[in-house]
Amino acid sequence: MKLKELNEKTPFFVEGIDIDAPKDFVFKFISEYEKHGLWIEGLKEETHTDVEGVVGSTFTEKIKKYGMEDEYCGKVLAYEADKMYQIEIGDKWVDFKIEYDVEETSPEKTHLIQTAWTLKGTSLHKLFNFFNRQILHNQMEKLKAAVEDEYKKIK
């Protein structure tokens, strides 16, 4: 099946979660590759090429899900330190744009909003949105737990 341009304007996933850790700690946790294995389920390997200013940096992730290993390639589309991190990531079936927005609700609490859009996909991409939403939701829960655990260690 061939990927076709979709560039959907309406996100297929938007979810917010409160995390008991400071905003800069949460943002750093999301944007640093070294931490990804703590919250991206099935991540087996990640390589990256950083560029000055972060935007344009690229990465490759090997993820094992449902007994199969797949390779995802991506790049950083936008980066505002301690505020917003946006990536494009995809495999042979679909490409997504995912944005993480962090807001301080108190010095020790952060509200994280994750939004995802489909950029390219096969004709079956909408059938998989149910599974993709579930994967992203589970990632948010795992991210919250990992951030809070790591923050407790340094507190």
Side-chain angles (χ1 to χ4, degrees):
M1 283 191 204
K2 185 178 176 187
L3 289 182
K4 60 182 177 181
E5 293 286 332
L6 300 169
N7 286 319
E8 293 180 344
K9 298 196 183 338
T10 304
F12 73 89
F13 180 83
V14 179
E15 185 172 311
I17 196 165
D18 290 320
I19 301 174
D20 294 325
K23 179 174 96 165
D24 60 332
F25 190 85
V26 173
F27 186 84
K28 191 174 185 180
F29 208 90
I30 293 166
S31 61
E32 287 189 353
Y33 297 109
E34 300 81 27
K35 303 288 187 187
H36 287 175
L38 298 174
W39 61 276
I40 297 175
E41 190 174 333
L43 182 65
K44 298 295 179 197
E45 181 183 328
E46 184 170 44
T47 58
H48 53 90
T49 304
D50 294 329
V51 300
E52 190 174 332
V54 182
V55 175
S57 296
T58 60
F59 59 91
T60 302
E61 296 175 340
K62 290 186 181 177
I63 297 176
K64 188 171 185 177
K65 295 280 274 176
Y66 310 116
M68 300 179 349
E69 191 171 295
D70 203 359
E71 184 171 283
Y72 294 83
C73 296
K75 68 180 173 181
V76 178
L77 299 175
Y79 179 92
E80 293 179 48
D82 297 333
K83 187 174 180 182
M84 187 268 295
Y85 182 69
Q86 186 183 88
I87 61 169
E88 178 179 338
I89 186 167
D91 65 0
K92 61 187 171 200
W93 305 106
V94 67
D95 284 353
F96 301 111
K97 177 171 69 173
I98 301 175
E99 182 172 303
Y100 301 91
D101 293 289
V102 294
E103 301 171 357
E104 181 178 88
T105 55
S106 75
E108 296 283 316
K109 192 174 222 102
T110 301
H111 186 70
L112 170 66
I113 300 169
Q114 183 183 37
T115 308
W117 298 262
T118 305
L119 299 177
K120 295 177 187 173
T122 66
S123 56
L124 299 174
H125 82 279
K126 287 194 179 209
L127 294 175
F128 293 104
N129 276 350
F130 170 80
F131 298 107
N132 293 327
R133 280 191 291 273
Q134 191 62 45
I135 289 168
L136 291 171
H137 170 77
N138 292 344
Q139 254 183 14
M140 289 280 280
E141 294 290 329
K142 196 167 181 179
L143 174 62
K144 173 185 170 62
V147 169
E148 290 176 351
D149 286 346
E150 288 289 308
Y151 186 63
K152 285 176 189 173
K153 290 177 186 176
I154 65 159
K155 197 171 171 185

